[in-house]
């Protein structure tokens, strides 16, 4: 069997729940064609101890958002996300290679 | 004087959390309980309102909204210069204390009921009117009179707490006692029991917040004890002498001023003043002021109110 | 005539959503509420059934199932040629209207109770019997008499709504009034209150669906208003003259015919007729027909039924 | 003798699952229901305790805890040599049967109430005291007297079931009847109805577990039927003759010995004895012993107890 | 430290909830040895506006399913999934490289 | 646009819920700086039939944990996780390449 796949970039954003709508709006106007979100909990360890986000209560929720798009679009959106929200909000952006089957959709 | 089971379920939650118990209360049920509590308080208030001329409420309502708005302006300089917070942090914490805690109000109401102390039936209206102004004042303080932005005000007005409280009041007012009757088994009879369950969960949350207090610093913790103490007695006095409320009403007004928002304010400030550290306000309001009000301040205000 | 609080909590939900409030009702609690409502309706129906000979139910039951099955065959040509939908879309929408809405039925029952209009106690049996036939008819229409496939029918029969309604009826019938008594505080006394909460959430969902209507098109929206209007009065007439039901029973039968399924039908059609656009049926049933029935059609049918 | 609706909702759940219905009960609501049930049982027990001298409870309490601890030591050799399990598996299963099932206890209590058979009011205290000892015995057996490790005991003591039951008992005991009154609509009146809902969901879970039984093997299944039979009658006898309990109390003591834990024990054994196969204990306790107790053993014990 | 890892393919399927059982059945008969699922919400933007799947209500739920397997198996399953469901259902398939430690399990 | 990204390793652990705290503790003492978790359900197929973990009930829950860190740290943690828990618990570990923007955080 021989299938053709197409290389795209998967951008993963781990961020505070309150940013969800803003991230979607930003993506929609930057050439991303879709997104997938789910709720997560998490934490980070640093010199001055451990910090956890357990998701209990409105202000403590974290989401993980995934967007599949062209590499160049991903880089641009990632940069904007970090510029706009990286200072004041908990937000992490990751990029990874993926292959898709129907390139027109991404 | 019997100990209230509400206080005990809260304490059980705190203890379970500190003992690292695996007891957890699922988040969606917790959320649903808070929807229930808000709607139930609103409905009951609305039904009671429908029995009396609205004009009675006008003065207290106006004053309550004004007090909620004014409070952050009084607290801000203290937070800035005595507690030593940055401008945005001071504004954010001030907003938490300007706004109110619905659950603290509910506990105080239950406390009064248990002791047979009557209060004005329109108190839930004051509660609903006091959620937003303090938050708006906090935003203004953070922006130092700059472009405060209409979207923030719209968001605050559509916030869940206000929608449910105000919506419940309007529905209760429209349907009256007769329309409320079939809803009473849920929204009336179960209220205390479901509040007890909610407080069990809140205890678990609060128990997990104690660790944050070290980072908040001793000065903020002190602020979170003294503010409700001062504001509670001030509210009691103003309620009684200025607004002419009954002892019960004045106690509840004191509780409203003394309580700090841990749901509406944190969510609103996170978006409106993102540069503020969100852990400060919520830890102060939830891990210090809330238990202080429940265990000490409410009984104290009831004691003081009794001698009015 | 007093406004029903159920209608108002639904309206509050719609309004909150349209005002872009952050009010959300957690999905798991919404699901649990729907399990509760189905079981409660079934149980109550079963208990009432246990008080009378089953033979009374036979004729209305048979006719109700038949009517549910026949309805899509009547609506299909309209959807196909007047509304202008593709075959599979027309079959899918027809199935939604052939089946019934449990919540619409519950609201109508509460409405009758509030006005003191009695109805036959076996009406929940008709409700249970009318869930599946319309869906099966829709599948047959989509496949144009081709190989309809037994698995679809098995799946429809094991669908949650039918399991809970039928299961509740059987349990209620077995245990009777005496066995039901300890369950009544939950399944009886709280019913109206929990239905109000459910409707608040449903309002939020419906408010979010209005945007779909533009895509559905004016013709489908018109269909979704006229169909319940026509089917409601037809059902009222048939119920009264053909089945010999009381005024209350005939009104409920009209409501059953007028209501459109927004839970069972969409789920079943998605699997059985995947080529149909799932947004059409659910938007029509939920965003147009449901509110139309609640706000206009039920009061209308009660009015008409009063003159029987 | 009327069939209890609790038994029927459980059966409905099992049937729905076996019929591959899409009926699901959302996990968070299921969890919340189990929190509710534990707290409600504890509260009620505590309130009843507050009416009598604690000394009455001392002997039965001590004996119950001892019996729970001893039971695994009796069952272990059987599981090891007759059923043919490995050491760790035998220890784990023994722990499940040494501990107790809160829901089985609740069903038995409802069953007695329905038949008007009174029981000692302190039985929930025995329930709370019997959760942990069996689990600790299982850990000791698995480690063959090796380093059992204090952390395990601490974890067992802070387990959710014990925190809620014991916490509820203490709160109920402190607040007494008067303090309990406003909580009763939730924790008292709704108990049977919410237990019925919980059993519906438990039926769905159990229905999904039947497949595991093949892997568990016929010998373990036989063990899971004979053990409750033997332990139930033994408990009935000991309760009546040794502890001097009333017929109702002796029946409940039999049910406690006969029941097997399917929440606390599996969670604790998973961490304390990770080398044991977790599917064995939970399948035996939940898919065999639980339904056996509900459908056969409880009625049997009530029958036997009636002739005491 | 020197550990040996083995290259496998991670297939991610984002699809309507109703497909869950069918996707599992398809995978089980195609040489995949396991799957992991969680619920997500999501949306896509197109010329004629935005479409959201919020997960409220039965028919509006979306799942994300992950299967780790040999590349060739993944390609085959992906193709079948898209052939069978790609026309009438919302379904997206992504492939990415991953490394595993116990190759016998995948 | 030209952005600089930094290569890191994304370790994904699918494991029984009861391991969550132990995995976090292990990571925190091994040089990992954070983690993200969410609940999943899943199953695996083997010769003797299908096994499912539906997540209903305490002992049946499964989590998926994600940690972004240096490759060498990931390999070490993965090895420890499998050594300590691989024998008696359901646990799967996957590694994949990702790019991050703020390297100091991982
Ligand atoms: N190294 C990491 N790997 C995976 N997730 C992380 C990592 N560091 C942080 N996170 C996630 O990002 C969230 C925000 O972290 P922080 O920006 O440190 O507040 C945490 O709650 C975690 O969910
Ligand atoms: N570019 C994308 N990136 C991530 N997820 C997507 C993307 N496009 C679509 N999705 C997901 O796939 C689901 C179905 O999309 P669609 O096939 O457009 O209906 C959406 O609800 C999203 O969860
Ligand atoms: N090939 C696979 N792909 C994705 N997830 C898997 C795979 N195999 C197992 N899993 C996940 O790992 C969990 C434990 O599997 P097991 O170790 O076989 O009990 C399962 O419940 C799945 O969630
Ligand atoms: Na205040
Ligand atoms: Na209909
Ligand atoms: Na036992």
């Amino acid at each position: 069997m021989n299938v053709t796949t197409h290389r795209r970039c998967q951008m993963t954003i781990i961020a505070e729940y309150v940013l969800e709508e803003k991230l979607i709006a930003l993506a929609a106007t930057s050439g991303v064609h879709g997104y997938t979100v789910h709720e997560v909990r998490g934490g980070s360890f640093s010199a001055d101890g451990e910090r956890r986000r357990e998701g209990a209560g409105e202000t403590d929720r974290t989401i993980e958002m995934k967007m599949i798009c062209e590499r160049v679009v991903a880089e641009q959106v990632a940069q904007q996300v970090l510029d706009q929200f990286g200072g004041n909000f908990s937000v992490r952006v990751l990029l990874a290679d993926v292959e898709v089957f129907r390139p027109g959709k991404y | 004087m019997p100990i209230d089971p509400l206080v005990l379920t809260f304490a059980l939650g705190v203890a379970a959390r500190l003992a690292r118990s695996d007891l957890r209360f699922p988040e969606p049920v917790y959320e649903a309980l808070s929807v229930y509590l808000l709607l139930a308080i609103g409905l009951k208030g609305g039904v009671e309102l429908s029995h009396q001329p609205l004009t009675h409420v006008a003065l207290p309502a106006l004053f309550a909204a004004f007090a909620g708005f004014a409070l952050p302006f009084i607290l801000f300089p203290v937070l800035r210069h005595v507690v030593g917070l940055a401008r945005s942090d001071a504004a954010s914490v001030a907003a938490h204390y300007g706004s109110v805690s619905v659950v603290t109000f509910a506990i105080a109401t239950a406390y009064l009921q248990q002791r047979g102390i009557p209060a004005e039936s329109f108190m839930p209206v004051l509660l609903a009117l006091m959620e937003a102004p303090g938050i708006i004042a906090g935003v203004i303080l953070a922006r130092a009179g700059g472009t405060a932005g209409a979207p923030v005000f719209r968001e605050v007005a559509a916030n869940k707490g206000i929608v449910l409280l105000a919506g419940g009041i309007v529905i209760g007012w429209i349907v009256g006692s007769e329309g409320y009757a079939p809803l009473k088994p849920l929204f009336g009879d179960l209220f205390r029991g479901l509040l007890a369950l909610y407080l069990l969960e809140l205890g678990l949350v609060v128990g997990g917040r104690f660790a944050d207090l070290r980072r908040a610093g001793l000065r903020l913790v002190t602020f979170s004890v003294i503010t409700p103490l001062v504001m509670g007695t001030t509210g009691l006095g103003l309620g009684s002498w200025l607004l002419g409320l009954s002892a019960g009403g004045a106690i509840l007004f004191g509780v409203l001023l003394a309580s700090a928002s841990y749901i509406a304010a944190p969510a609103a400030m996170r978006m409106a003043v993102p540069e503020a550290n969100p852990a400060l306000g919520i830890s102060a309001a939830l891990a210090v002021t809330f238990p202080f009000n429940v265990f000490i301040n409410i009984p104290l205000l009831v004691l003081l109110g009794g001698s009015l």
Side-chain angles (χ1 to χ4, degrees), chain A residues 16 18 22 50 54-59 61 88-89, chain B residues 17 27 31 160 215 266-267 270-271 274-275 282:
Chain A
E16 298 180 37
V18 290
K22 294 186 192 287
E50 192 183 329
E54 301 184 22
E58 317 279 298
T59 44
R61 284 194 196 160
N88 289 322
F89 292 92
Chain B
R17 181 63 189 250
E27 175 73 10
E31 258 184 78
K160 166 170 112 172
R215 245 168 295 168
R270 192 75 196 101
M271 288 320 297
E275 61 277 20
I282 203 170

PDB file of all heavy atoms in Angstrom, chain A residues 16 18 22 50 54-59 61 88-89, chain B residues 17 27 31 160 215 266-267 270-271 274-275 282:
ATOM      1  N   GLU A  16      -3.926  29.272  30.200  1.00  0.00           N
ATOM      2  CA  GLU A  16      -5.048  29.495  31.106  1.00  0.00           C
ATOM      3  C   GLU A  16      -6.363  29.492  30.326  1.00  0.00           C
ATOM      4  O   GLU A  16      -6.440  29.993  29.214  1.00  0.00           O
ATOM      5  CB  GLU A  16      -4.916  30.866  31.786  1.00  0.00           C
ATOM      6  CG  GLU A  16      -3.689  30.988  32.638  1.00  0.00           C
ATOM      7  CD  GLU A  16      -3.596  32.348  33.299  1.00  0.00           C
ATOM      8  OE1 GLU A  16      -4.635  32.898  33.697  1.00  0.00           O
ATOM      9  OE2 GLU A  16      -2.473  32.854  33.420  1.00  0.00           O
ATOM     10  N   VAL A  18      -8.972  31.228  30.555  1.00  0.00           N
ATOM     11  CA  VAL A  18      -9.525  32.532  30.150  1.00  0.00           C
ATOM     12  C   VAL A  18      -9.036  32.979  28.779  1.00  0.00           C
ATOM     13  O   VAL A  18      -9.635  33.866  28.163  1.00  0.00           O
ATOM     14  CB  VAL A  18      -9.196  33.652  31.168  1.00  0.00           C
ATOM     15  CG1 VAL A  18      -9.952  33.450  32.457  1.00  0.00           C
ATOM     16  CG2 VAL A  18      -7.705  33.755  31.413  1.00  0.00           C
ATOM     17  N   LYS A  22      -9.747  34.220  23.106  1.00  0.00           N
ATOM     18  CA  LYS A  22      -8.788  35.123  22.460  1.00  0.00           C
ATOM     19  C   LYS A  22      -7.860  34.357  21.523  1.00  0.00           C
ATOM     20  O   LYS A  22      -7.494  34.849  20.452  1.00  0.00           O
ATOM     21  CB  LYS A  22      -7.975  35.870  23.521  1.00  0.00           C
ATOM     22  CG  LYS A  22      -8.858  36.816  24.323  1.00  0.00           C
ATOM     23  CD  LYS A  22      -8.061  37.677  25.268  1.00  0.00           C
ATOM     24  CE  LYS A  22      -9.012  38.366  26.239  1.00  0.00           C
ATOM     25  NZ  LYS A  22      -9.801  39.452  25.614  1.00  0.00           N
ATOM     26  N   GLU A  50       6.835  24.327  44.194  1.00  0.00           N
ATOM     27  CA  GLU A  50       5.983  23.741  43.198  1.00  0.00           C
ATOM     28  C   GLU A  50       4.729  24.596  43.032  1.00  0.00           C
ATOM     29  O   GLU A  50       4.215  25.139  43.981  1.00  0.00           O
ATOM     30  CB  GLU A  50       5.585  22.352  43.704  1.00  0.00           C
ATOM     31  CG  GLU A  50       4.922  21.496  42.665  1.00  0.00           C
ATOM     32  CD  GLU A  50       4.482  20.173  43.253  1.00  0.00           C
ATOM     33  OE1 GLU A  50       5.155  19.693  44.189  1.00  0.00           O
ATOM     34  OE2 GLU A  50       3.463  19.650  42.805  1.00  0.00           O
ATOM     35  N   GLU A  54      -4.832  22.925  39.472  1.00  0.00           N
ATOM     36  CA  GLU A  54      -5.626  21.711  39.572  1.00  0.00           C
ATOM     37  C   GLU A  54      -6.928  21.776  38.809  1.00  0.00           C
ATOM     38  O   GLU A  54      -7.629  20.787  38.675  1.00  0.00           O
ATOM     39  CB  GLU A  54      -5.958  21.420  41.037  1.00  0.00           C
ATOM     40  CG  GLU A  54      -4.738  21.266  41.874  1.00  0.00           C
ATOM     41  CD  GLU A  54      -5.104  20.881  43.276  1.00  0.00           C
ATOM     42  OE1 GLU A  54      -6.195  20.346  43.488  1.00  0.00           O
ATOM     43  OE2 GLU A  54      -4.283  21.124  44.162  1.00  0.00           O
ATOM     44  N   GLY A  55      -7.274  22.973  38.372  1.00  0.00           N
ATOM     45  CA  GLY A  55      -8.503  23.063  37.600  1.00  0.00           C
ATOM     46  C   GLY A  55      -9.732  23.252  38.469  1.00  0.00           C
ATOM     47  O   GLY A  55     -10.830  23.329  37.961  1.00  0.00           O
ATOM     48  N   ALA A  56      -9.562  23.290  39.777  1.00  0.00           N
ATOM     49  CA  ALA A  56     -10.721  23.527  40.623  1.00  0.00           C
ATOM     50  C   ALA A  56     -10.953  25.028  40.699  1.00  0.00           C
ATOM     51  O   ALA A  56     -10.063  25.777  41.076  1.00  0.00           O
ATOM     52  CB  ALA A  56     -10.493  22.953  42.018  1.00  0.00           C
ATOM     53  N   GLY A  57     -12.138  25.458  40.347  1.00  0.00           N
ATOM     54  CA  GLY A  57     -12.433  26.887  40.386  1.00  0.00           C
ATOM     55  C   GLY A  57     -12.124  27.526  39.044  1.00  0.00           C
ATOM     56  O   GLY A  57     -11.229  27.114  38.320  1.00  0.00           O
ATOM     57  N   GLU A  58     -12.871  28.548  38.762  1.00  0.00           N
ATOM     58  CA  GLU A  58     -12.833  29.206  37.460  1.00  0.00           C
ATOM     59  C   GLU A  58     -11.439  29.672  37.035  1.00  0.00           C
ATOM     60  O   GLU A  58     -11.030  29.528  35.898  1.00  0.00           O
ATOM     61  CB  GLU A  58     -13.720  30.457  37.467  1.00  0.00           C
ATOM     62  CG  GLU A  58     -15.042  30.297  38.134  1.00  0.00           C
ATOM     63  CD  GLU A  58     -16.057  29.648  37.237  1.00  0.00           C
ATOM     64  OE1 GLU A  58     -16.357  30.234  36.194  1.00  0.00           O
ATOM     65  OE2 GLU A  58     -16.529  28.544  37.581  1.00  0.00           O
ATOM     66  N   THR A  59     -10.737  30.281  37.958  1.00  0.00           N
ATOM     67  CA  THR A  59      -9.485  30.927  37.564  1.00  0.00           C
ATOM     68  C   THR A  59      -8.317  29.965  37.528  1.00  0.00           C
ATOM     69  O   THR A  59      -7.204  30.356  37.227  1.00  0.00           O
ATOM     70  CB  THR A  59      -9.131  32.024  38.582  1.00  0.00           C
ATOM     71  OG1 THR A  59      -9.348  31.499  39.884  1.00  0.00           O
ATOM     72  CG2 THR A  59      -9.964  33.250  38.349  1.00  0.00           C
ATOM     73  N   ARG A  61      -8.301  26.985  35.824  1.00  0.00           N
ATOM     74  CA  ARG A  61      -8.405  26.009  34.752  1.00  0.00           C
ATOM     75  C   ARG A  61      -7.364  26.213  33.665  1.00  0.00           C
ATOM     76  O   ARG A  61      -7.038  27.330  33.313  1.00  0.00           O
ATOM     77  CB  ARG A  61      -9.763  26.139  34.099  1.00  0.00           C
ATOM     78  CG  ARG A  61     -10.834  25.560  34.919  1.00  0.00           C
ATOM     79  CD  ARG A  61     -12.008  25.457  34.014  1.00  0.00           C
ATOM     80  NE  ARG A  61     -13.212  25.264  34.773  1.00  0.00           N
ATOM     81  CZ  ARG A  61     -14.406  25.526  34.288  1.00  0.00           C
ATOM     82  NH1 ARG A  61     -14.532  26.001  33.067  1.00  0.00           N
ATOM     83  NH2 ARG A  61     -15.461  25.303  35.017  1.00  0.00           N
ATOM     84  N   ASN A  88       1.988  38.122  30.784  1.00  0.00           N
ATOM     85  CA  ASN A  88       1.085  38.153  31.939  1.00  0.00           C
ATOM     86  C   ASN A  88       0.344  36.857  32.213  1.00  0.00           C
ATOM     87  O   ASN A  88      -0.308  36.722  33.238  1.00  0.00           O
ATOM     88  CB  ASN A  88       0.050  39.263  31.750  1.00  0.00           C
ATOM     89  CG  ASN A  88       0.676  40.637  31.899  1.00  0.00           C
ATOM     90  OD1 ASN A  88       1.540  40.825  32.748  1.00  0.00           O
ATOM     91  ND2 ASN A  88       0.272  41.567  31.068  1.00  0.00           N
ATOM     92  N   PHE A  89       0.403  35.923  31.265  1.00  0.00           N
ATOM     93  CA  PHE A  89      -0.383  34.703  31.440  1.00  0.00           C
ATOM     94  C   PHE A  89       0.510  33.468  31.418  1.00  0.00           C
ATOM     95  O   PHE A  89       1.599  33.496  30.858  1.00  0.00           O
ATOM     96  CB  PHE A  89      -1.426  34.581  30.324  1.00  0.00           C
ATOM     97  CG  PHE A  89      -2.496  35.630  30.402  1.00  0.00           C
ATOM     98  CD1 PHE A  89      -2.371  36.838  29.722  1.00  0.00           C
ATOM     99  CD2 PHE A  89      -3.631  35.424  31.168  1.00  0.00           C
ATOM    100  CE1 PHE A  89      -3.360  37.807  29.801  1.00  0.00           C
ATOM    101  CE2 PHE A  89      -4.623  36.389  31.240  1.00  0.00           C
ATOM    102  CZ  PHE A  89      -4.482  37.584  30.565  1.00  0.00           C
TER     103      PHE A  89
ATOM    104  N   ARG B  17      -8.464  17.755  53.292  1.00  0.00           N
ATOM    105  CA  ARG B  17      -7.434  18.197  52.367  1.00  0.00           C
ATOM    106  C   ARG B  17      -6.072  18.252  53.040  1.00  0.00           C
ATOM    107  O   ARG B  17      -5.065  17.793  52.492  1.00  0.00           O
ATOM    108  CB  ARG B  17      -7.807  19.567  51.794  1.00  0.00           C
ATOM    109  CG  ARG B  17      -6.821  20.120  50.811  1.00  0.00           C
ATOM    110  CD  ARG B  17      -6.755  19.195  49.583  1.00  0.00           C
ATOM    111  NE  ARG B  17      -5.664  19.587  48.720  1.00  0.00           N
ATOM    112  CZ  ARG B  17      -5.804  20.142  47.536  1.00  0.00           C
ATOM    113  NH1 ARG B  17      -7.008  20.303  47.028  1.00  0.00           N
ATOM    114  NH2 ARG B  17      -4.757  20.490  46.810  1.00  0.00           N
ATOM    115  N   GLU B  27     -15.476  18.560  39.920  1.00  0.00           N
ATOM    116  CA  GLU B  27     -15.622  19.940  39.456  1.00  0.00           C
ATOM    117  C   GLU B  27     -16.994  20.248  38.834  1.00  0.00           C
ATOM    118  O   GLU B  27     -17.602  21.268  39.180  1.00  0.00           O
ATOM    119  CB  GLU B  27     -14.487  20.228  38.462  1.00  0.00           C
ATOM    120  CG  GLU B  27     -14.508  21.565  37.778  1.00  0.00           C
ATOM    121  CD  GLU B  27     -14.132  22.721  38.700  1.00  0.00           C
ATOM    122  OE1 GLU B  27     -13.679  22.454  39.834  1.00  0.00           O
ATOM    123  OE2 GLU B  27     -14.321  23.881  38.301  1.00  0.00           O
ATOM    124  N   GLU B  31     -19.554  23.131  40.207  1.00  0.00           N
ATOM    125  CA  GLU B  31     -20.063  24.225  39.365  1.00  0.00           C
ATOM    126  C   GLU B  31     -21.586  24.267  39.350  1.00  0.00           C
ATOM    127  O   GLU B  31     -22.196  25.333  39.443  1.00  0.00           O
ATOM    128  CB  GLU B  31     -19.605  24.000  37.921  1.00  0.00           C
ATOM    129  CG  GLU B  31     -18.463  24.838  37.486  1.00  0.00           C
ATOM    130  CD  GLU B  31     -18.189  24.579  36.028  1.00  0.00           C
ATOM    131  OE1 GLU B  31     -18.926  25.108  35.171  1.00  0.00           O
ATOM    132  OE2 GLU B  31     -17.247  23.824  35.739  1.00  0.00           O
ATOM    133  N   LYS B 160     -21.764  35.347  35.215  1.00  0.00           N
ATOM    134  CA  LYS B 160     -22.645  34.290  35.706  1.00  0.00           C
ATOM    135  C   LYS B 160     -23.357  34.626  37.007  1.00  0.00           C
ATOM    136  O   LYS B 160     -24.568  34.433  37.145  1.00  0.00           O
ATOM    137  CB  LYS B 160     -21.746  33.075  35.891  1.00  0.00           C
ATOM    138  CG  LYS B 160     -22.277  31.952  36.669  1.00  0.00           C
ATOM    139  CD  LYS B 160     -21.330  30.790  36.521  1.00  0.00           C
ATOM    140  CE  LYS B 160     -20.629  30.480  37.830  1.00  0.00           C
ATOM    141  NZ  LYS B 160     -19.839  29.227  37.728  1.00  0.00           N
ATOM    142  N   ARG B 215       3.408  32.689  50.215  1.00  0.00           N
ATOM    143  CA  ARG B 215       3.835  33.592  49.156  1.00  0.00           C
ATOM    144  C   ARG B 215       3.120  34.952  49.230  1.00  0.00           C
ATOM    145  O   ARG B 215       3.654  35.971  48.819  1.00  0.00           O
ATOM    146  CB  ARG B 215       3.580  32.946  47.787  1.00  0.00           C
ATOM    147  CG  ARG B 215       4.878  32.673  47.051  1.00  0.00           C
ATOM    148  CD  ARG B 215       4.637  31.789  45.847  1.00  0.00           C
ATOM    149  NE  ARG B 215       4.182  30.457  46.247  1.00  0.00           N
ATOM    150  CZ  ARG B 215       3.687  29.553  45.425  1.00  0.00           C
ATOM    151  NH1 ARG B 215       3.548  29.848  44.139  1.00  0.00           N
ATOM    152  NH2 ARG B 215       3.326  28.374  45.857  1.00  0.00           N
ATOM    153  N   PRO B 266     -12.090  37.294  40.768  1.00  0.00           N
ATOM    154  CA  PRO B 266     -10.877  36.740  40.163  1.00  0.00           C
ATOM    155  C   PRO B 266     -11.002  36.583  38.651  1.00  0.00           C
ATOM    156  O   PRO B 266     -10.092  36.938  37.900  1.00  0.00           O
ATOM    157  CB  PRO B 266     -10.730  35.371  40.839  1.00  0.00           C
ATOM    158  CG  PRO B 266     -11.476  35.477  42.113  1.00  0.00           C
ATOM    159  CD  PRO B 266     -12.584  36.457  41.873  1.00  0.00           C
ATOM    160  N   ALA B 267     -12.154  36.053  38.207  1.00  0.00           N
ATOM    161  CA  ALA B 267     -12.328  35.839  36.772  1.00  0.00           C
ATOM    162  C   ALA B 267     -12.274  37.168  36.014  1.00  0.00           C
ATOM    163  O   ALA B 267     -11.612  37.293  34.986  1.00  0.00           O
ATOM    164  CB  ALA B 267     -13.651  35.127  36.511  1.00  0.00           C
ATOM    165  N   ARG B 270      -8.728  38.824  36.080  1.00  0.00           N
ATOM    166  CA  ARG B 270      -7.735  38.138  35.246  1.00  0.00           C
ATOM    167  C   ARG B 270      -7.733  38.710  33.836  1.00  0.00           C
ATOM    168  O   ARG B 270      -6.670  38.879  33.230  1.00  0.00           O
ATOM    169  CB  ARG B 270      -8.069  36.633  35.197  1.00  0.00           C
ATOM    170  CG  ARG B 270      -6.948  35.810  34.605  1.00  0.00           C
ATOM    171  CD  ARG B 270      -5.825  35.677  35.590  1.00  0.00           C
ATOM    172  NE  ARG B 270      -4.578  35.229  35.008  1.00  0.00           N
ATOM    173  CZ  ARG B 270      -3.560  36.035  34.715  1.00  0.00           C
ATOM    174  NH1 ARG B 270      -3.653  37.331  34.917  1.00  0.00           N
ATOM    175  NH2 ARG B 270      -2.442  35.557  34.215  1.00  0.00           N
ATOM    176  N   MET B 271      -8.915  39.005  33.309  1.00  0.00           N
ATOM    177  CA  MET B 271      -8.992  39.525  31.948  1.00  0.00           C
ATOM    178  C   MET B 271      -8.758  41.027  31.906  1.00  0.00           C
ATOM    179  O   MET B 271      -8.108  41.539  31.006  1.00  0.00           O
ATOM    180  CB  MET B 271     -10.361  39.208  31.333  1.00  0.00           C
ATOM    181  CG  MET B 271     -10.549  37.763  30.985  1.00  0.00           C
ATOM    182  SD  MET B 271      -9.081  36.962  30.257  1.00  0.00           S
ATOM    183  CE  MET B 271      -8.894  37.912  28.745  1.00  0.00           C
ATOM    184  N   PRO B 274      -4.642  41.916  33.515  1.00  0.00           N
ATOM    185  CA  PRO B 274      -3.840  40.688  33.436  1.00  0.00           C
ATOM    186  C   PRO B 274      -2.480  40.804  34.102  1.00  0.00           C
ATOM    187  O   PRO B 274      -1.898  39.798  34.482  1.00  0.00           O
ATOM    188  CB  PRO B 274      -3.691  40.445  31.934  1.00  0.00           C
ATOM    189  CG  PRO B 274      -4.060  41.710  31.271  1.00  0.00           C
ATOM    190  CD  PRO B 274      -4.978  42.435  32.192  1.00  0.00           C
ATOM    191  N   GLU B 275      -1.994  42.018  34.244  1.00  0.00           N
ATOM    192  CA  GLU B 275      -0.661  42.161  34.835  1.00  0.00           C
ATOM    193  C   GLU B 275      -0.670  41.941  36.354  1.00  0.00           C
ATOM    194  O   GLU B 275       0.396  41.807  36.958  1.00  0.00           O
ATOM    195  CB  GLU B 275      -0.035  43.513  34.457  1.00  0.00           C
ATOM    196  CG  GLU B 275      -0.788  44.738  34.917  1.00  0.00           C
ATOM    197  CD  GLU B 275      -1.927  45.146  33.985  1.00  0.00           C
ATOM    198  OE1 GLU B 275      -2.401  44.293  33.187  1.00  0.00           O
ATOM    199  OE2 GLU B 275      -2.377  46.302  34.049  1.00  0.00           O
ATOM    200  N   ILE B 282      -7.286  35.928  45.212  1.00  0.00           N
ATOM    201  CA  ILE B 282      -8.081  34.743  45.516  1.00  0.00           C
ATOM    202  C   ILE B 282      -7.623  34.083  46.811  1.00  0.00           C
ATOM    203  O   ILE B 282      -8.440  33.596  47.597  1.00  0.00           O
ATOM    204  CB  ILE B 282      -8.096  33.770  44.323  1.00  0.00           C
ATOM    205  CG1 ILE B 282      -9.322  32.888  44.409  1.00  0.00           C
ATOM    206  CG2 ILE B 282      -6.850  32.930  44.254  1.00  0.00           C
ATOM    207  CD1 ILE B 282      -9.561  32.054  43.182  1.00  0.00           C
TER     208      ILE B 282
END
